[in-house]
Amino acid sequence: MIELSNLSVHFGHAAALRDANLVIERGDRLGVVGESGSGKTLLALCLMGMAPDSARLTGQLSIDGQDMARAAERDWQRLRSRWVAMVFQEPMAALNPLRRVGDTVIEPMLLHDGLTRRAARDRALSLFEEVGIPDPDRRLRQFPHEMSGGQRQRVLIALALACNPMLLIADEPTTALDANVALRITDLLQRLAREREMALVFISHDLAAVARATEDIVVMYAGDMVERGRTAAVLGAPVHPYTKGLLGARPDVGVAGRNADGKRRRLPTIPGSVPPLQGLPEGCRFAGRCPVELPQCATQRPAFTQTEVARGAACHLLTEARHD
Amino acid sequence: MTDVPLLEVRNLTRHYKLPRQSLLRRAPVLTALEGAAFSLRAGETLGVVGESGSGKSTLARLIMAFERPDAGEVLFQGRDLHGLTAEELRKLRRGFQMVFQDPFGSLNPRRRIGWSIAEPLRANGETENITHRVAEALEQVGLHPADAGKYPHEFSGGQRQRIAIARAIITRPALLVADEAVSALDVSVQAQILNLLMDLQDDLGLGMVFISHDLAVVASICDRVLVLQHGKTLESGPAADVLRAPKHPYTKTLLKAAGVRP
């Protein structure tokens, strides 16, 4: 359905996204994790045809057989909503505060599907029910500020679903929400993807949410896809040192803050910080922060090595192990 | 040796009047915090957990004496903050400082960070050794003294949070109130900042009230936990007990949300 091959995005000479390869089929639930500057949001914007004007795209981005990497805005407009729709992090910022949420949800149906107002309203009602908004009739007439953060995020999901997209991209959909609300939104997105056989790309830095919502996962670092595989496999037994570092740095509820002797236990960290776009290392982009560096890491970019079916990582350690 | 706790909160309650719904009826009242109570010793950390609207930020503002409670007391080193005169309170303030969630919003973008870090000293009327103390605070949070001449936008999110912490510790406080201090940070940066807070506690004997919605983070740094919902204390106790065997269903949901593996 959607295929990226060697898709790169350059700003000037710096590659903010490098050789992204990805295949998304109907019903796939893919998690994209990484920290700020990893390129995960840029990847989402590329899938929506919304990369900034200053970005230069190379490689292929094909949606339903059409190459969209260099497509015009007009072609994208036809694809958006029907093929891809997006849910953003901050539901208050994504909704027009001066419009009733019902009008916002109905608009794309009038524009893209040419429905009558009455038919669009009926569909909006059933969408609100589908995403779990109680008393939908009254809610349609409300303004964003009259709703809680969780309700607003549900409205945005309903809006994204308005034209039955094949792919729903959720960019940090739970970050601004309370923990238990986030949990319910995560479960909702997962359920919708299954029931509608819709593909879901779930972008988040929250490993717990990604673990709940997705089946496959891609780990990104500084514009590179460094590890991928089944979500349970990658999070359960990470291969790439960055993935390991990320999982290690995440505090664990089961581990107490003090050792038996009463000393505070420090968390494992990844030293340093993500390099800026203009100062990326030449070889592996994780070089300099990696705890197990080999001589070639600083100069040679590691190739993506497949270790099993649909599982692998871009790390010199993997090829090194093979040669032994 | 005294037995006075660093911070003692007794039966703390705060109501807010909401806008009137009708001219003829009284304005409705929201109970933001009801009967909160705990005590904290030097070097200890109390985690305050709850969702938005649970009263955790109200609790922080009352502890910081930014506003007054409707009932109850906040005893800092044995003195009730809300029973002091404005002048007495101002003098005592150097003893307790706060770190906010958004380090970008709490630093003046048009001032060099050295100026922002020294602000609490100026507020106390201190004029001596300011440059030296700013340099010292910067080193304590893992930054370089020369960074004092830079502006906030020259730093990453994690570094800005270090700057905010430097500003909080420059008055050499005994108590730090951290309101979602690591929530806006990436996982690896978050771990660095949590470690920094632990280092500072060990080095300076700081007591800390650590407000967070993330139980995993709370588990890693707190000795005791207080779970709030709609202003009421649902449960409280040693972190190990509350997290291993939560009594309240709400705490269980929070635990579920914090687990990496489903």
Side-chain angles (χ1 to χ4, degrees):
Chain A
M1 193 174 93
I2 291 176
E3 191 176 351
L4 310 186
S5 60
N6 294 325
L7 183 75
S8 300
V9 180
H10 285 82
F11 291 98
H13 291 291
L17 186 67
R18 208 160 53 149
D19 294 327
N21 288 298
L22 201 61
V23 176
I24 305 169
E25 298 291 351
R26 263 201 108 98
D28 282 356
R29 282 179 282 127
L30 174 76
V32 180
V33 296
E35 302 183 282
S36 323
S38 64
K40 56 192 198 304
T41 295
L42 186 60
L43 176 71
L45 292 176
C46 286
L47 290 175
M48 287 289 289
M50 286 172 17
D53 289 340
S54 55
R56 192 161 45 83
L57 273 68
T58 54
Q60 254 146 42
L61 161 57
S62 88
I63 299 183
D64 193 28
Q66 279 186 72
D67 186 20
M68 298 299 291
R70 278 159 293 274
E73 174 63 17
R74 282 174 67 90
D75 299 322
W76 273 111
Q77 274 174 11
R78 239 172 287 136
L79 277 190
R80 267 181 228 136
S81 284
R82 304 187 143 277
W83 270 93
V84 268
M86 193 155 170
V87 177
F88 299 89
Q89 171 172 354
E90 188 31 82
M92 194 63 197
L95 287 166
N96 185 337
L98 299 177
R99 293 186 81 189
R100 294 178 200 278
V101 296
D103 293 339
T104 305
V105 174
I106 283 169
E107 185 176 23
M109 303 182 202
L110 303 176
L111 284 175
H112 289 277
D113 290 353
L115 293 185
T116 61
R117 278 201 82 82
R118 179 180 292 268
R121 211 189 96 90
D122 287 346
R123 199 198 287 175
L125 269 179
S126 72
L127 278 174
F128 270 32
E129 264 164 39
E130 189 180 354
V131 300
I133 299 177
D135 198 1
D137 204 30
R138 184 173 63 88
R139 289 292 186 180
L140 275 178
R141 278 176 278 122
Q142 283 191 322
F143 289 95
H145 74 267
E146 296 178 276
M147 310 182 120
S148 67
Q151 294 294 345
R152 283 198 286 262
Q153 198 58 290
R154 284 174 199 268
V155 168
L156 276 188
I157 294 170
L159 173 62
L161 295 178
C163 295
N164 298 315
M166 307 282 199
L167 165 68
L168 181 66
I169 303 169
D171 189 5
E172 303 275 3
T174 59
T175 309
L177 303 174
D178 282 322
N180 58 342
V181 182
L183 205 65
R184 288 202 291 271
I185 295 289
T186 307
D187 290 349
L188 169 69
L189 287 169
Q190 196 237 94
R191 195 198 81 211
L192 289 169
R194 270 192 289 119
E195 287 176 0
R196 291 173 159 252
E197 281 186 58
M198 171 182 74
L200 174 70
V201 172
F202 192 99
I203 299 172
S204 185
H205 70 274
D206 182 350
L207 296 169
V210 171
R212 276 182 84 79
T214 66
E215 283 185 295
D216 298 287
I217 195 170
V218 171
V219 182
M220 296 189 65
Y221 179 78
D224 285 346
M225 292 185 167
V226 294
E227 181 162 3
R228 66 203 312 165
R230 300 300 261 181
T231 306
V234 171
L235 296 182
V239 177
H240 197 283
Y242 175 66
T243 318
K244 286 183 187 167
L246 201 61
L247 277 165
R250 165 92 197 134
D252 186 336
V253 261
V255 178
R258 286 187 196 259
N259 293 325
D261 57 4
K263 289 244 167 63
R264 285 177 199 282
R265 183 178 291 145
R266 301 296 188 270
L267 292 161
T269 58
I270 303 173
S273 54
V274 182
L277 205 51
Q278 271 72 28
L280 290 168
E282 224 171 275
C284 174
R285 288 184 169 179
F286 194 48
R289 301 183 71 192
C290 186
V292 275
E293 241 172 271
L294 302 170
Q296 63 265 45
C297 291
T299 51
Q300 239 179 306
R301 181 179 165 190
F304 191 87
T305 312
Q306 193 153 338
T307 52
E308 292 163 45
V309 182
R311 172 99 165 90
C315 179
H316 286 304
L317 287 172
L318 289 176
T319 38
E320 196 76 357
R322 291 266 160 105
H323 294 313
D324 286 347
Chain B
M1 187 65 207
T2 54
D3 242 8
V4 180
L6 174 65
L7 176 72
E8 193 172 357
V9 165
R10 291 181 186 156
N11 185 34
L12 207 57
T13 300
R14 178 75 168 110
H15 308 290
Y16 290 108
K17 255 191 196 159
L18 296 176
R20 259 172 206 271
Q21 303 287 317
S22 145
L23 272 180
L24 304 175
R25 287 202 210 110
R26 266 202 218 191
V29 170
L30 173 84
T31 305
L33 192 66
E34 196 179 330
F38 64 85
S39 79
L40 183 75
R41 299 187 170 279
E44 257 187 351
T45 306
L46 171 81
V48 181
V49 185
E51 60 200 337
S52 31
S54 63
K56 51 193 203 305
S57 291
T58 301
L59 178 60
R61 285 198 298 274
L62 293 171
I63 294 171
M64 291 302 298
F66 292 153
E67 54 185 77
R68 301 183 76 88
D70 291 301
E73 292 168 325
V74 177
L75 301 163
F76 175 69
Q77 293 172 334
R79 301 172 74 187
D80 182 11
L81 293 181
H82 298 284
L84 300 175
T85 65
E87 184 56 23
E88 286 171 321
L89 181 61
R90 198 180 62 77
K91 282 197 182 129
L92 209 57
R93 270 197 189 282
R94 76 186 63 175
F96 51 100
Q97 293 285 332
M98 187 156 174
V99 180
F100 298 91
Q101 171 170 2
D102 176 11
F104 206 54
S106 59
L107 292 170
N108 187 337
R110 303 181 63 177
R111 290 285 193 174
R112 296 173 200 277
I113 59 133
W115 185 89
S116 294
I117 292 172
E119 221 173 353
L121 293 180
R122 283 192 301 274
N124 274 325
E126 292 178 46
T127 49
E128 278 171 39
N129 276 332
I130 285 202
T131 323
H132 174 72
R133 289 190 55 185
V134 168
E136 185 187 65
L138 279 168
E139 278 183 337
Q140 279 175 319
V141 298
L143 293 172
H144 200 269
D147 289 335
K150 295 187 190 165
Y151 290 94
H153 72 263
E154 298 177 63
F155 296 92
S156 70
Q159 288 172 323
R160 285 199 288 260
Q161 200 56 291
R162 287 177 193 269
I163 295 165
I165 293 169
R167 177 172 57 183
I169 60 169
I170 197 164
T171 60
R172 296 169 185 147
L175 171 70
L176 211 57
V177 177
D179 190 358
E180 301 279 7
V182 299
S183 307
L185 305 175
D186 277 323
V187 179
S188 69
V189 183
Q190 179 176 298
Q192 291 173 357
I193 298 293
L194 287 171
N195 286 349
L196 168 66
L197 287 171
M198 291 189 242
D199 290 344
L200 291 172
Q201 281 193 290
D202 284 351
D203 294 349
L204 312 173
L206 279 174
M208 188 155 69
V209 175
F210 187 89
I211 296 173
S212 177
H213 65 273
D214 187 338
L215 271 192
V217 168
V218 166
S220 69
I221 194 168
C222 298
D223 302 302
R224 280 177 308 114
V225 181
L226 183 79
V227 185
L228 291 176
Q229 191 184 31
H230 306 312
K232 293 197 180 70
T233 303
L234 293 185
E235 55 186 307
S236 68
D241 298 353
V242 174
L243 299 177
R244 200 171 306 130
K247 291 193 191 76
H248 203 278
Y250 177 64
T251 320
K252 288 179 190 160
T253 322
L254 287 178
L255 267 176
K256 208 163 120 192
V260 169
R261 281 163 203 98

